[in-house]
Amino acid sequence: MDVQRVSKQVVDSTGTLTILHEISFQLQARESVAIVGASGSGKSTLLAILAGLDVPSSGTVLVAGQDLFQLDEDARAGLRAQQMGFVFQSFQLLGNLTALENVMLPLELMGRQDARATATAMLQRVGLGERLGHYPKVLSGGEQQRVALARAFVVRPAVLLADEPTGSLDFATGATVMALMFELNREAGTTLVLVTHDRAIATRCDRQLVIEAGRLLAPA
């Protein structure tokens, strides 16, 4: 992934607000990178642009050699499905689907005939082999985030984008989830981009990118 001079401005009643100012960096295959900074510094906006879920005011992001913002929304969605996995603070599981069905869903959208067996194996890998038929509402927060990890990694994405993945978990549960995330990342050979305010988590990554008031500072 190659991020080139990405800026983001929004206009409101007070004028133009710059959220990101000419952010540039490259991500290497299998690298783990933490994006850190204070609340409101632009971390989550940057992550949304990396995913093609938000559009920059200027600049671009190259994924697998393709310019995300030269693609239409459908093509960007297709590229995300093929290349990216996502883990969010709020889990983003579908409440009307079981744990197994949530993990099967991205495989089914890809037309995989082995979706059930592959999803079952991944849930067993994250320690939820006995919870396949459970709905999110009866799972603990830590269990829901493990389902989300399984869903993200089951397609073996080239890039995993994680936004404060332990933000809604207690310390012990969060530590367990992060250990599992790093294990899965190593096993899958995925490039990990992790937004976090937790410096202890950030230091486990290969590199840190510090965002301050929308600007990229020297690595911490």
Side-chain angles (χ1 to χ4, degrees), residues 6-58:
V6 164
S7 294
K8 179 71 176 182
Q9 287 91 30
V10 296
V11 178
D12 61 17
S13 59
T14 63
T16 301
L17 174 66
T18 297
I19 300 173
L20 296 172
H21 183 79
E22 294 199 344
I23 303 288
S24 296
F25 58 89
Q26 291 183 321
L27 300 174
Q28 305 302 319
R30 299 175 177 266
E31 184 179 26
S32 59
V33 175
I35 299 175
V36 298
S39 178
S41 60
K43 304 186 304 296
S44 293
T45 298
L46 177 58
L47 199 74
I49 290 173
L50 298 186
L53 296 170
D54 195 359
V55 178
S57 302
S58 61

mmCIF file of all heavy atoms in Angstrom, residues 6-58:
data_model
loop_
_atom_site.group_PDB
_atom_site.id
_atom_site.type_symbol
_atom_site.label_atom_id
_atom_site.label_comp_id
_atom_site.label_asym_id
_atom_site.label_seq_id
_atom_site.Cartn_x
_atom_site.Cartn_y
_atom_site.Cartn_z
ATOM 1 N N VAL A 6 -1.978 12.535 0.923
ATOM 2 C CA VAL A 6 -3.411 12.509 1.222
ATOM 3 C C VAL A 6 -3.776 13.669 2.144
ATOM 4 O O VAL A 6 -3.206 13.826 3.227
ATOM 5 C CB VAL A 6 -3.805 11.166 1.856
ATOM 6 C CG1 VAL A 6 -5.167 11.264 2.530
ATOM 7 C CG2 VAL A 6 -3.820 10.071 0.797
ATOM 8 N N SER A 7 -4.728 14.468 1.698
ATOM 9 C CA SER A 7 -5.279 15.550 2.510
ATOM 10 C C SER A 7 -6.798 15.409 2.567
ATOM 11 O O SER A 7 -7.421 14.855 1.660
ATOM 12 C CB SER A 7 -4.921 16.918 1.924
ATOM 13 O OG SER A 7 -3.523 17.158 1.983
ATOM 14 N N LYS A 8 -7.368 15.920 3.651
ATOM 15 C CA LYS A 8 -8.825 15.896 3.797
ATOM 16 C C LYS A 8 -9.282 17.196 4.439
ATOM 17 O O LYS A 8 -8.825 17.547 5.528
ATOM 18 C CB LYS A 8 -9.263 14.708 4.662
ATOM 19 C CG LYS A 8 -10.763 14.604 4.892
ATOM 20 C CD LYS A 8 -11.514 14.198 3.637
ATOM 21 C CE LYS A 8 -12.997 14.003 3.886
ATOM 22 N NZ LYS A 8 -13.714 13.571 2.678
ATOM 23 N N GLN A 9 -10.150 17.911 3.730
ATOM 24 C CA GLN A 9 -10.765 19.117 4.280
ATOM 25 C C GLN A 9 -12.282 18.955 4.276
ATOM 26 O O GLN A 9 -12.844 18.287 3.412
ATOM 27 C CB GLN A 9 -10.402 20.353 3.437
ATOM 28 C CG GLN A 9 -8.981 20.841 3.580
ATOM 29 C CD GLN A 9 -8.058 20.208 2.559
ATOM 30 O OE1 GLN A 9 -8.477 19.868 1.457
ATOM 31 N NE2 GLN A 9 -6.791 20.028 2.932
ATOM 32 N N VAL A 10 -12.908 19.573 5.257
ATOM 33 C CA VAL A 10 -14.365 19.650 5.288
ATOM 34 C C VAL A 10 -14.744 21.109 5.503
ATOM 35 O O VAL A 10 -14.010 21.880 6.129
ATOM 36 C CB VAL A 10 -14.975 18.763 6.397
ATOM 37 C CG1 VAL A 10 -14.694 17.288 6.129
ATOM 38 C CG2 VAL A 10 -14.446 19.144 7.765
ATOM 39 N N VAL A 11 -15.894 21.483 4.981
ATOM 40 C CA VAL A 11 -16.366 22.859 5.093
ATOM 41 C C VAL A 11 -17.605 22.882 5.975
ATOM 42 O O VAL A 11 -18.542 22.103 5.771
ATOM 43 C CB VAL A 11 -16.691 23.441 3.703
ATOM 44 C CG1 VAL A 11 -17.237 24.867 3.837
ATOM 45 C CG2 VAL A 11 -15.455 23.421 2.818
ATOM 46 N N ASP A 12 -17.572 23.751 6.982
ATOM 47 C CA ASP A 12 -18.762 23.943 7.816
ATOM 48 C C ASP A 12 -19.032 25.439 7.947
ATOM 49 O O ASP A 12 -18.459 26.251 7.216
ATOM 50 C CB ASP A 12 -18.599 23.264 9.182
ATOM 51 C CG ASP A 12 -17.425 23.826 9.983
ATOM 52 O OD1 ASP A 12 -16.938 24.932 9.654
ATOM 53 O OD2 ASP A 12 -17.001 23.166 10.949
ATOM 54 N N SER A 13 -19.884 25.804 8.881
ATOM 55 C CA SER A 13 -20.300 27.205 9.006
ATOM 56 C C SER A 13 -19.154 28.122 9.406
ATOM 57 O O SER A 13 -19.225 29.342 9.211
ATOM 58 C CB SER A 13 -21.433 27.315 10.028
ATOM 59 O OG SER A 13 -21.009 26.819 11.294
ATOM 60 N N THR A 14 -18.083 27.573 9.965
ATOM 61 C CA THR A 14 -16.949 28.385 10.402
ATOM 62 C C THR A 14 -15.871 28.488 9.331
ATOM 63 O O THR A 14 -14.885 29.200 9.514
ATOM 64 C CB THR A 14 -16.329 27.807 11.685
ATOM 65 O OG1 THR A 14 -15.801 26.494 11.411
ATOM 66 C CG2 THR A 14 -17.370 27.698 12.787
ATOM 67 N N GLY A 15 -16.040 27.755 8.239
ATOM 68 C CA GLY A 15 -15.054 27.791 7.172
ATOM 69 C C GLY A 15 -14.530 26.409 6.850
ATOM 70 O O GLY A 15 -15.229 25.406 7.049
ATOM 71 N N THR A 16 -13.301 26.344 6.363
ATOM 72 C CA THR A 16 -12.689 25.080 5.961
ATOM 73 C C THR A 16 -11.818 24.525 7.082
ATOM 74 O O THR A 16 -10.948 25.230 7.604
ATOM 75 C CB THR A 16 -11.827 25.269 4.702
ATOM 76 O OG1 THR A 16 -12.661 25.766 3.641
ATOM 77 C CG2 THR A 16 -11.190 23.952 4.272
ATOM 78 N N LEU A 17 -12.070 23.273 7.441
ATOM 79 C CA LEU A 17 -11.288 22.593 8.468
ATOM 80 C C LEU A 17 -10.432 21.525 7.814
ATOM 81 O O LEU A 17 -10.939 20.678 7.082
ATOM 82 C CB LEU A 17 -12.226 21.949 9.496
ATOM 83 C CG LEU A 17 -11.567 21.063 10.566
ATOM 84 C CD1 LEU A 17 -10.671 21.884 11.477
ATOM 85 C CD2 LEU A 17 -12.637 20.319 11.375
ATOM 86 N N THR A 18 -9.131 21.581 8.056
ATOM 87 C CA THR A 18 -8.225 20.570 7.521
ATOM 88 C C THR A 18 -8.062 19.447 8.543
ATOM 89 O O THR A 18 -7.565 19.673 9.649
ATOM 90 C CB THR A 18 -6.849 21.180 7.190
ATOM 91 O OG1 THR A 18 -7.020 22.170 6.165
ATOM 92 C CG2 THR A 18 -5.885 20.110 6.690
ATOM 93 N N ILE A 19 -8.499 18.254 8.171
ATOM 94 C CA ILE A 19 -8.408 17.095 9.066
ATOM 95 C C ILE A 19 -7.094 16.358 8.857
ATOM 96 O O ILE A 19 -6.456 15.906 9.820
ATOM 97 C CB ILE A 19 -9.606 16.151 8.831
ATOM 98 C CG1 ILE A 19 -10.914 16.893 9.110
ATOM 99 C CG2 ILE A 19 -9.495 14.908 9.712
ATOM 100 C CD1 ILE A 19 -12.151 16.099 8.748
ATOM 101 N N LEU A 20 -6.668 16.232 7.588
ATOM 102 C CA LEU A 20 -5.393 15.600 7.247
ATOM 103 C C LEU A 20 -4.649 16.504 6.272
ATOM 104 O O LEU A 20 -5.257 17.075 5.360
ATOM 105 C CB LEU A 20 -5.616 14.223 6.612
ATOM 106 C CG LEU A 20 -6.275 13.144 7.467
ATOM 107 C CD1 LEU A 20 -6.588 11.921 6.623
ATOM 108 C CD2 LEU A 20 -5.391 12.761 8.654
ATOM 109 N N HIS A 21 -3.327 16.591 6.464
ATOM 110 C CA HIS A 21 -2.522 17.485 5.628
ATOM 111 C C HIS A 21 -1.375 16.718 4.975
ATOM 112 O O HIS A 21 -0.383 16.374 5.624
ATOM 113 C CB HIS A 21 -1.964 18.640 6.461
ATOM 114 C CG HIS A 21 -1.189 19.637 5.654
ATOM 115 N ND1 HIS A 21 -1.788 20.604 4.890
ATOM 116 C CD2 HIS A 21 0.141 19.790 5.476
ATOM 117 C CE1 HIS A 21 -0.866 21.322 4.283
ATOM 118 N NE2 HIS A 21 0.314 20.849 4.616
ATOM 119 N N GLU A 22 -1.536 16.387 3.708
ATOM 120 C CA GLU A 22 -0.498 15.783 2.876
ATOM 121 C C GLU A 22 0.252 14.641 3.595
ATOM 122 O O GLU A 22 1.460 14.685 3.806
ATOM 123 C CB GLU A 22 0.480 16.849 2.383
ATOM 124 C CG GLU A 22 -0.174 17.832 1.441
ATOM 125 C CD GLU A 22 0.817 18.601 0.590
ATOM 126 O OE1 GLU A 22 2.014 18.609 0.911
ATOM 127 O OE2 GLU A 22 0.375 19.199 -0.414
ATOM 128 N N ILE A 23 -0.501 13.604 3.915
ATOM 129 C CA ILE A 23 0.057 12.411 4.555
ATOM 130 C C ILE A 23 0.621 11.479 3.481
ATOM 131 O O ILE A 23 -0.076 11.138 2.524
ATOM 132 C CB ILE A 23 -1.023 11.659 5.354
ATOM 133 C CG1 ILE A 23 -1.659 12.567 6.409
ATOM 134 C CG2 ILE A 23 -0.452 10.392 5.975
ATOM 135 C CD1 ILE A 23 -0.806 12.889 7.581
ATOM 136 N N SER A 24 1.872 11.079 3.657
ATOM 137 C CA SER A 24 2.504 10.139 2.719
ATOM 138 C C SER A 24 3.289 9.090 3.494
ATOM 139 O O SER A 24 4.022 9.421 4.434
ATOM 140 C CB SER A 24 3.461 10.872 1.770
ATOM 141 O OG SER A 24 2.781 11.782 0.937
ATOM 142 N N PHE A 25 3.115 7.820 3.115
ATOM 143 C CA PHE A 25 3.944 6.736 3.647
ATOM 144 C C PHE A 25 3.683 5.487 2.821
ATOM 145 O O PHE A 25 2.710 5.407 2.074
ATOM 146 C CB PHE A 25 3.666 6.462 5.132
ATOM 147 C CG PHE A 25 2.245 6.102 5.459
ATOM 148 C CD1 PHE A 25 1.812 4.785 5.436
ATOM 149 C CD2 PHE A 25 1.329 7.085 5.802
ATOM 150 C CE1 PHE A 25 0.507 4.449 5.744
ATOM 151 C CE2 PHE A 25 0.012 6.766 6.102
ATOM 152 C CZ PHE A 25 -0.391 5.443 6.080
ATOM 153 N N GLN A 26 4.550 4.503 2.967
ATOM 154 C CA GLN A 26 4.392 3.214 2.297
ATOM 155 C C GLN A 26 4.321 2.110 3.334
ATOM 156 O O GLN A 26 4.940 2.195 4.400
ATOM 157 C CB GLN A 26 5.556 2.946 1.343
ATOM 158 C CG GLN A 26 5.581 3.842 0.118
ATOM 159 C CD GLN A 26 6.711 3.478 -0.825
ATOM 160 O OE1 GLN A 26 7.815 3.149 -0.397
ATOM 161 N NE2 GLN A 26 6.436 3.514 -2.117
ATOM 162 N N LEU A 27 3.550 1.087 3.027
ATOM 163 C CA LEU A 27 3.458 -0.103 3.867
ATOM 164 C C LEU A 27 4.054 -1.276 3.113
ATOM 165 O O LEU A 27 3.706 -1.513 1.955
ATOM 166 C CB LEU A 27 2.000 -0.399 4.222
ATOM 167 C CG LEU A 27 1.247 0.703 4.982
ATOM 168 C CD1 LEU A 27 -0.208 0.319 5.137
ATOM 169 C CD2 LEU A 27 1.887 0.928 6.350
ATOM 170 N N GLN A 28 4.925 -2.002 3.791
ATOM 171 C CA GLN A 28 5.547 -3.167 3.182
ATOM 172 C C GLN A 28 4.742 -4.424 3.503
ATOM 173 O O GLN A 28 4.026 -4.487 4.505
ATOM 174 C CB GLN A 28 6.988 -3.326 3.693
ATOM 175 C CG GLN A 28 7.851 -2.092 3.486
ATOM 176 C CD GLN A 28 7.944 -1.675 2.043
ATOM 177 O OE1 GLN A 28 8.064 -2.513 1.140
ATOM 178 N NE2 GLN A 28 7.881 -0.371 1.791
ATOM 179 N N ALA A 29 4.857 -5.421 2.655
ATOM 180 C CA ALA A 29 4.181 -6.698 2.902
ATOM 181 C C ALA A 29 4.609 -7.266 4.253
ATOM 182 O O ALA A 29 5.775 -7.208 4.624
ATOM 183 C CB ALA A 29 4.526 -7.688 1.795
ATOM 184 N N ARG A 30 3.634 -7.748 5.005
ATOM 185 C CA ARG A 30 3.823 -8.393 6.306
ATOM 186 C C ARG A 30 4.214 -7.425 7.423
ATOM 187 O O ARG A 30 4.454 -7.842 8.552
ATOM 188 C CB ARG A 30 4.854 -9.539 6.231
ATOM 189 C CG ARG A 30 4.452 -10.663 5.287
ATOM 190 C CD ARG A 30 5.553 -11.713 5.162
ATOM 191 N NE ARG A 30 5.140 -12.816 4.326
ATOM 192 C CZ ARG A 30 4.594 -13.947 4.763
ATOM 193 N NH1 ARG A 30 4.406 -14.115 6.071
ATOM 194 N NH2 ARG A 30 4.236 -14.895 3.927
ATOM 195 N N GLU A 31 4.270 -6.147 7.134
ATOM 196 C CA GLU A 31 4.643 -5.158 8.146
ATOM 197 C C GLU A 31 3.456 -4.869 9.060
ATOM 198 O O GLU A 31 2.305 -4.864 8.629
ATOM 199 C CB GLU A 31 5.088 -3.876 7.458
ATOM 200 C CG GLU A 31 5.591 -2.799 8.403
ATOM 201 C CD GLU A 31 6.050 -1.546 7.673
ATOM 202 O OE1 GLU A 31 5.560 -1.285 6.561
ATOM 203 O OE2 GLU A 31 6.893 -0.826 8.231
ATOM 204 N N SER A 32 3.733 -4.593 10.326
ATOM 205 C CA SER A 32 2.697 -4.129 11.251
ATOM 206 C C SER A 32 3.010 -2.686 11.627
ATOM 207 O O SER A 32 4.124 -2.361 12.036
ATOM 208 C CB SER A 32 2.624 -5.007 12.502
ATOM 209 O OG SER A 32 3.856 -5.035 13.197
ATOM 210 N N VAL A 33 2.014 -1.816 11.448
ATOM 211 C CA VAL A 33 2.194 -0.387 11.659
ATOM 212 C C VAL A 33 1.074 0.123 12.557
ATOM 213 O O VAL A 33 -0.106 -0.153 12.317
ATOM 214 C CB VAL A 33 2.170 0.375 10.317
ATOM 215 C CG1 VAL A 33 2.230 1.876 10.547
ATOM 216 C CG2 VAL A 33 3.323 -0.075 9.436
ATOM 217 N N ALA A 34 1.450 0.861 13.590
ATOM 218 C CA ALA A 34 0.477 1.508 14.468
ATOM 219 C C ALA A 34 0.370 2.978 14.089
ATOM 220 O O ALA A 34 1.385 3.656 13.915
ATOM 221 C CB ALA A 34 0.900 1.383 15.922
ATOM 222 N N ILE A 35 -0.850 3.468 13.939
ATOM 223 C CA ILE A 35 -1.108 4.892 13.753
ATOM 224 C C ILE A 35 -1.586 5.430 15.094
ATOM 225 O O ILE A 35 -2.623 5.004 15.611
ATOM 226 C CB ILE A 35 -2.157 5.132 12.659
ATOM 227 C CG1 ILE A 35 -1.659 4.583 11.318
ATOM 228 C CG2 ILE A 35 -2.469 6.620 12.530
ATOM 229 C CD1 ILE A 35 -2.681 4.660 10.201
ATOM 230 N N VAL A 36 -0.798 6.327 15.676
ATOM 231 C CA VAL A 36 -1.088 6.811 17.031
ATOM 232 C C VAL A 36 -1.241 8.328 17.010
ATOM 233 O O VAL A 36 -0.742 9.016 16.121
ATOM 234 C CB VAL A 36 0.024 6.399 18.020
ATOM 235 C CG1 VAL A 36 0.120 4.889 18.121
ATOM 236 C CG2 VAL A 36 1.379 6.985 17.620
ATOM 237 N N GLY A 37 -1.932 8.829 18.016
ATOM 238 C CA GLY A 37 -2.152 10.263 18.138
ATOM 239 C C GLY A 37 -3.320 10.519 19.068
ATOM 240 O O GLY A 37 -4.083 9.615 19.406
ATOM 241 N N ALA A 38 -3.451 11.763 19.474
ATOM 242 C CA ALA A 38 -4.521 12.142 20.386
ATOM 243 C C ALA A 38 -5.881 12.026 19.702
ATOM 244 O O ALA A 38 -5.978 11.978 18.475
ATOM 245 C CB ALA A 38 -4.296 13.573 20.872
ATOM 246 N N SER A 39 -6.927 11.993 20.514
ATOM 247 C CA SER A 39 -8.283 11.997 19.981
ATOM 248 C C SER A 39 -8.481 13.240 19.127
ATOM 249 O O SER A 39 -8.092 14.345 19.506
ATOM 250 C CB SER A 39 -9.288 11.987 21.137
ATOM 251 O OG SER A 39 -10.605 12.025 20.654
ATOM 252 N N GLY A 40 -9.062 13.052 17.928
ATOM 253 C CA GLY A 40 -9.287 14.175 17.034
ATOM 254 C C GLY A 40 -8.117 14.518 16.146
ATOM 255 O O GLY A 40 -8.175 15.490 15.382
ATOM 256 N N SER A 41 -7.057 13.706 16.192
ATOM 257 C CA SER A 41 -5.864 14.012 15.392
ATOM 258 C C SER A 41 -6.007 13.617 13.926
ATOM 259 O O SER A 41 -5.200 14.025 13.094
ATOM 260 C CB SER A 41 -4.631 13.322 15.988
ATOM 261 O OG SER A 41 -4.806 11.912 16.005
ATOM 262 N N GLY A 42 -7.016 12.808 13.610
ATOM 263 C CA GLY A 42 -7.246 12.400 12.226
ATOM 264 C C GLY A 42 -6.974 10.939 11.956
ATOM 265 O O GLY A 42 -7.029 10.493 10.802
ATOM 266 N N LYS A 43 -6.696 10.147 13.002
ATOM 267 C CA LYS A 43 -6.329 8.736 12.823
ATOM 268 C C LYS A 43 -7.420 7.943 12.122
ATOM 269 O O LYS A 43 -7.155 7.224 11.151
ATOM 270 C CB LYS A 43 -6.022 8.077 14.194
ATOM 271 C CG LYS A 43 -4.972 8.742 15.035
ATOM 272 C CD LYS A 43 -4.650 7.946 16.288
ATOM 273 C CE LYS A 43 -5.840 7.647 17.178
ATOM 274 N NZ LYS A 43 -6.450 8.874 17.753
ATOM 275 N N SER A 44 -8.641 8.026 12.637
ATOM 276 C CA SER A 44 -9.730 7.223 12.070
ATOM 277 C C SER A 44 -10.112 7.690 10.673
ATOM 278 O O SER A 44 -10.484 6.879 9.815
ATOM 279 C CB SER A 44 -10.947 7.242 13.002
ATOM 280 O OG SER A 44 -10.649 6.558 14.214
ATOM 281 N N THR A 45 -10.014 9.002 10.423
ATOM 282 C CA THR A 45 -10.265 9.503 9.066
ATOM 283 C C THR A 45 -9.251 8.920 8.100
ATOM 284 O O THR A 45 -9.594 8.493 6.989
ATOM 285 C CB THR A 45 -10.188 11.043 9.049
ATOM 286 O OG1 THR A 45 -11.202 11.573 9.900
ATOM 287 C CG2 THR A 45 -10.384 11.584 7.638
ATOM 288 N N LEU A 46 -7.993 8.886 8.513
ATOM 289 C CA LEU A 46 -6.945 8.310 7.666
ATOM 290 C C LEU A 46 -7.235 6.838 7.391
ATOM 291 O O LEU A 46 -7.117 6.377 6.245
ATOM 292 C CB LEU A 46 -5.583 8.476 8.332
ATOM 293 C CG LEU A 46 -4.388 7.846 7.599
ATOM 294 C CD1 LEU A 46 -4.253 8.394 6.186
ATOM 295 C CD2 LEU A 46 -3.107 8.065 8.396
ATOM 296 N N LEU A 47 -7.637 6.101 8.412
ATOM 297 C CA LEU A 47 -7.921 4.680 8.218
ATOM 298 C C LEU A 47 -9.076 4.487 7.239
ATOM 299 O O LEU A 47 -9.032 3.597 6.386
ATOM 300 C CB LEU A 47 -8.237 4.013 9.562
ATOM 301 C CG LEU A 47 -8.104 2.490 9.580
ATOM 302 C CD1 LEU A 47 -6.636 2.086 9.566
ATOM 303 C CD2 LEU A 47 -8.801 1.882 10.792
ATOM 304 N N ALA A 48 -10.097 5.327 7.349
ATOM 305 C CA ALA A 48 -11.244 5.229 6.438
ATOM 306 C C ALA A 48 -10.821 5.511 5.000
ATOM 307 O O ALA A 48 -11.310 4.872 4.057
ATOM 308 C CB ALA A 48 -12.345 6.198 6.872
ATOM 309 N N ILE A 49 -9.887 6.432 4.814
ATOM 310 C CA ILE A 49 -9.395 6.720 3.467
ATOM 311 C C ILE A 49 -8.559 5.551 2.953
ATOM 312 O O ILE A 49 -8.661 5.166 1.783
ATOM 313 C CB ILE A 49 -8.599 8.041 3.462
ATOM 314 C CG1 ILE A 49 -9.558 9.223 3.663
ATOM 315 C CG2 ILE A 49 -7.815 8.213 2.162
ATOM 316 C CD1 ILE A 49 -8.879 10.558 3.853
ATOM 317 N N LEU A 50 -7.739 4.953 3.808
ATOM 318 C CA LEU A 50 -6.951 3.785 3.392
ATOM 319 C C LEU A 50 -7.862 2.664 2.907
ATOM 320 O O LEU A 50 -7.509 1.907 1.997
ATOM 321 C CB LEU A 50 -6.091 3.270 4.546
ATOM 322 C CG LEU A 50 -5.027 4.204 5.128
ATOM 323 C CD1 LEU A 50 -4.192 3.459 6.167
ATOM 324 C CD2 LEU A 50 -4.142 4.775 4.044
ATOM 325 N N ALA A 51 -9.037 2.569 3.521
ATOM 326 C CA ALA A 51 -9.997 1.526 3.144
ATOM 327 C C ALA A 51 -10.840 1.907 1.934
ATOM 328 O O ALA A 51 -11.589 1.076 1.422
ATOM 329 C CB ALA A 51 -10.915 1.227 4.324
ATOM 330 N N GLY A 52 -10.729 3.165 1.492
ATOM 331 C CA GLY A 52 -11.587 3.616 0.411
ATOM 332 C C GLY A 52 -13.016 3.859 0.846
ATOM 333 O O GLY A 52 -13.917 3.976 0.012
ATOM 334 N N LEU A 53 -13.241 3.936 2.160
ATOM 335 C CA LEU A 53 -14.582 4.212 2.682
ATOM 336 C C LEU A 53 -14.852 5.702 2.750
ATOM 337 O O LEU A 53 -16.001 6.125 2.848
ATOM 338 C CB LEU A 53 -14.733 3.592 4.082
ATOM 339 C CG LEU A 53 -14.645 2.070 4.137
ATOM 340 C CD1 LEU A 53 -14.552 1.598 5.580
ATOM 341 C CD2 LEU A 53 -15.831 1.430 3.441
ATOM 342 N N ASP A 54 -13.785 6.494 2.744
ATOM 343 C CA ASP A 54 -13.879 7.949 2.669
ATOM 344 C C ASP A 54 -12.969 8.394 1.527
ATOM 345 O O ASP A 54 -12.015 7.687 1.176
ATOM 346 C CB ASP A 54 -13.442 8.574 3.999
ATOM 347 C CG ASP A 54 -13.858 10.037 4.133
ATOM 348 O OD1 ASP A 54 -14.475 10.573 3.194
ATOM 349 O OD2 ASP A 54 -13.544 10.636 5.183
ATOM 350 N N VAL A 55 -13.260 9.526 0.956
ATOM 351 C CA VAL A 55 -12.507 10.019 -0.208
ATOM 352 C C VAL A 55 -11.688 11.232 0.214
ATOM 353 O O VAL A 55 -12.225 12.159 0.835
ATOM 354 C CB VAL A 55 -13.468 10.407 -1.357
ATOM 355 C CG1 VAL A 55 -12.693 10.970 -2.535
ATOM 356 C CG2 VAL A 55 -14.280 9.187 -1.787
ATOM 357 N N PRO A 56 -10.399 11.263 -0.097
ATOM 358 C CA PRO A 56 -9.589 12.419 0.277
ATOM 359 C C PRO A 56 -9.924 13.627 -0.583
ATOM 360 O O PRO A 56 -10.440 13.500 -1.694
ATOM 361 C CB PRO A 56 -8.154 11.939 0.019
ATOM 362 C CG PRO A 56 -8.298 10.941 -1.089
ATOM 363 C CD PRO A 56 -9.606 10.244 -0.830
ATOM 364 N N SER A 57 -9.596 14.813 -0.064
ATOM 365 C CA SER A 57 -9.756 16.028 -0.867
ATOM 366 C C SER A 57 -8.692 16.085 -1.946
ATOM 367 O O SER A 57 -8.917 16.635 -3.032
ATOM 368 C CB SER A 57 -9.673 17.261 0.040
ATOM 369 O OG SER A 57 -10.659 17.205 1.047
ATOM 370 N N SER A 58 -7.528 15.521 -1.645
ATOM 371 C CA SER A 58 -6.453 15.411 -2.631
ATOM 372 C C SER A 58 -5.548 14.263 -2.226
ATOM 373 O O SER A 58 -5.596 13.779 -1.088
ATOM 374 C CB SER A 58 -5.649 16.710 -2.732
ATOM 375 O OG SER A 58 -5.047 17.034 -1.488
#
